[in-house]
Structures are given as structure tokens and as C-alpha cells.
Amino acid sequence: MSFPGMGVQRAWHLIDANNQTVGRLAVQISQLLKGKHKPTFKPNKDVGDYVVVINAEKVHFSGKKWKNKLYRWHTGYPGGLKQRTAQEQLNRKPDAILRSAVLGMLKRNRLRHQCMEKRLKLYVGPEHPHTSQLPSESTKVSPALPRSGPMERFGLESYTQLPHPHALNKKFSLKDLKGL
């Protein structure tokens, strides 16, 4: 790279957060902001891309996190510790849930504060003002697939369909399992 301006080429990524799990989506967004998907990635250089997230209010939590997860901050005054549940945070600031998850996955340094935070664009609803920056074939990040069970990874549907080996009077092989 003889010309320094040619080293950083920033792309724009459009992500629809509709019905996606917060943590899994935040991992994908933070990787794009850092630029880890590029061959020119260096941890001390700013090589990341712009990320536009639409429908930020339609994210999903697993379990009982809407009631149990707390967002805390301090006002700076004595006794000024404030907190909200995830449901209250969604009602007041819907984009703050995803923003705090993404920024929590980035190192707290000058690259984050001066560069990466400015390239994250979160919007409530499907409308955004960046249609001119996004190319017509903009990169749409696919939703993270839910985790599969231990046997589904090996191509078997479930434990219940397998015959118990002690219940069989004969020896069985993999040919017997193909019919299940």
C-alpha cells in the first residue's frame, strides 16, 4: 500500500434487527465495526465499516431477560445510581438496548470513542436516511441461526427416534437407522 488513502475502503451494511436475539446480533455488528472481516484488519487501526440497523425496537431476548435484566447508570451525584429493566428501557429508549450490547463488545479506547461509535447508525422502524450511501446490492447480514441440540449436529433428529440397544434382540447397524 503505497498510497495511504487506498488502505481503508469503508462499506455500508444494512441489518434488519427484526426478531433477532440481542447478543447474537451485537456480535455480528461489532465484528463489522472493527473490520475483522477484512484481510487488512489490524487491532490498532481503524478499518471498520458503517453499519445501519433498522427495526432496533423489535429485538428479542431469550428467557426472562425482559423482566430480570437491569440497565444501570450513575448520575454523578451522591446516591445517583439509577436502573431500569429491559422492558422499561424498550419503552423509553428502544435503540439503547442494542447500542449498549454492541458497545459492550468493543474495547474502551480511542478507536471506539472517536471512530466506531460514530459509524453505528441505529434506527427505530424500517426508515433510515442512508439510502444514498447504501449500494443497491447492500450487504444484508443473515440472522444467527438458533443453536441445535447435540445430536442434530450429527444429522440425527432426536434421541426419541433411536431404538435402545438393549431392547433389541439382534445386533443392529447403521443400515437399520436409515429407515427411522
Side-chain angles (χ1 to χ4, degrees):
M1 285 190 269
S2 61
F3 183 65
M6 295 298 290
V8 179
Q9 295 177 353
R10 302 203 191 278
W12 286 74
H13 301 276
L14 178 65
I15 298 177
D16 188 5
N18 188 10
N19 201 20
Q20 292 199 32
T21 307
V22 174
R24 295 177 189 273
L25 181 62
V27 167
Q28 293 178 343
I29 294 171
S30 66
Q31 300 296 323
L32 292 172
L33 287 173
K34 291 178 197 174
K36 282 197 136 182
H37 62 288
K38 295 183 177 182
T40 58
F41 170 72
K42 293 180 183 173
N44 62 336
K45 299 293 180 193
D46 181 25
V47 295
D49 292 341
Y50 287 91
V51 179
V52 178
V53 181
I54 57 174
N55 295 322
E57 80 282 2
K58 296 180 182 177
V59 292
H60 170 69
F61 273 122
S62 60
K64 299 180 181 179
K65 291 187 185 125
W66 286 115
K67 296 177 186 174
N68 297 340
K69 185 169 179 60
L70 295 176
Y71 289 92
R72 294 182 175 153
W73 70 97
H74 201 282
T75 62
Y77 290 97
L81 182 65
K82 304 282 185 179
Q83 68 181 18
R84 285 187 195 141
T85 63
Q87 187 63 46
E88 293 170 357
Q89 188 79 341
L90 180 70
N91 295 336
R92 291 188 181 215
K93 296 181 182 178
D95 59 334
I97 291 175
L98 191 56
R99 183 178 301 276
S100 66
V102 171
L103 295 181
M105 294 183 182
L106 299 173
K107 288 185 178 180
R108 289 160 183 88
N109 57 18
R110 288 184 188 163
L111 283 179
R112 171 186 154 174
H113 300 303
Q114 294 175 357
C115 305
M116 292 183 204
E117 287 181 9
K118 295 176 183 175
R119 286 197 307 267
L120 177 62
K121 315 289 184 184
L122 291 171
Y123 295 101
V124 176
E127 303 297 324
H128 62 87
H130 302 289
T131 52
S132 61
Q133 285 89 0
L134 290 169
S136 59
E137 64 276 347
S138 64
T139 307
K140 293 190 178 183
V141 177
S142 61
L145 297 174
R147 287 188 173 175
S148 59
M151 294 306 283
E152 292 170 2
R153 294 187 189 116
F154 299 110
L156 300 175
E157 279 74 28
S158 68
Y159 290 113
T160 58
Q161 293 181 346
L162 293 175
H164 195 273
H166 299 295
L168 299 173
N169 294 333
K170 63 174 188 167
K171 292 182 180 178
F172 72 96
S173 64
L174 291 176
K175 293 178 185 176
D176 299 330
L177 295 177
K178 288 184 181 177
L180 296 178

